[in-house]
Amino acid sequence: MAGASDPVTTTLPQQPIHDCLFPHASRCESTFKKVTNPHEFTTGDAEVTFLGHSGQPIEDLLKYTKGKSPIELMEDTLKWRHVAPTAPDTLPCFPFTEFDPFILDKAQPHVYFCGNQNDFVSKLTKIDTPNGPVETRIVLVPKFSNRFG
């Protein structure tokens, strides 16, 4: 998944990183997946749904909110049912005219993740949805450059 400093367009949804940047890994299509940012996928027999992004929506929200942590803002975006609530006003995004792809109109994800954070944080939260309360695991994934650089 591309992030804010990767060689792709900065507007959300970001397109996958191009094959030419991963010439050997791109041959392993069954194990190496290039995906959009944000990205949603389902895995396993239990059909666990994951939804996440590389952190730009939370970084942008932090500019305009006081006293909230990234994990609290992730929980807020689930309650608001919108992955990127500041787009397109202060967060660049493709100009969609017919629909907003960042609205959570499907089922609540089982796991909601956000990359490029300062620390690993995880929280199990219960969100009221139109279909009743649903539990979601929120995960903040630390920046790889801070951990392995």
Side-chain angles (χ1 to χ4, degrees), residues 88-145:
D89 299 324
T90 59
L91 183 65
C93 79
F94 185 81
F96 292 94
T97 56
E98 301 295 321
F99 68 101
D100 185 342
F102 306 116
I103 291 176
L104 296 172
D105 56 357
K106 294 191 239 174
Q108 192 85 357
H110 296 101
V111 179
Y112 184 39
F113 65 91
C114 175
N116 294 313
Q117 299 304 297
N118 292 327
D119 297 300
F120 172 80
V121 181
S122 176
K123 177 181 183 180
L124 186 62
T125 187
K126 190 177 285 190
I127 303 292
D128 290 323
T129 70
N131 298 327
V134 177
E135 284 188 340
T136 297
R137 170 68 62 185
I138 302 172
V139 180
L140 301 184
V141 180
K143 297 174 188 174
F144 292 115
S145 61

Side-chain angles (χ1 to χ4, degrees), residues 11-122:
T11 57
L12 292 181
Q14 288 180 302
Q15 296 305 299
I17 296 174
H18 196 274
D19 287 341
C20 71
L21 297 172
F22 300 103
H24 300 293
S26 295
R27 294 183 205 141
C28 304
E29 290 182 20
S30 65
T31 56
F32 182 74
K33 303 286 185 194
K34 299 176 306 297
V35 297
T36 61
N37 174 30
H39 184 67
E40 181 179 40
F41 64 96
T42 302
T43 187
D45 293 336
E47 296 193 6
V48 177
T49 303
F50 290 75
L51 171 64
H53 51 74
S54 290
Q56 296 97 314
I58 298 304
E59 288 176 30
D60 198 56
L61 278 170
L62 284 168
K63 295 176 189 174
Y64 306 104
T65 56
K66 293 183 181 175
K68 290 227 174 186
S69 69
I71 198 87
E72 291 171 317
L73 291 172
M74 286 287 288
E75 188 172 13
D76 286 345
T77 60
L78 279 176
K79 290 177 186 172
W80 301 333
R81 304 207 44 80
H82 202 284
V83 175
T86 58
D89 299 324
T90 59
L91 183 65
C93 79
F94 185 81
F96 292 94
T97 56
E98 301 295 321
F99 68 101
D100 185 342
F102 306 116
I103 291 176
L104 296 172
D105 56 357
K106 294 191 239 174
Q108 192 85 357
H110 296 101
V111 179
Y112 184 39
F113 65 91
C114 175
N116 294 313
Q117 299 304 297
N118 292 327
D119 297 300
F120 172 80
V121 181
S122 176

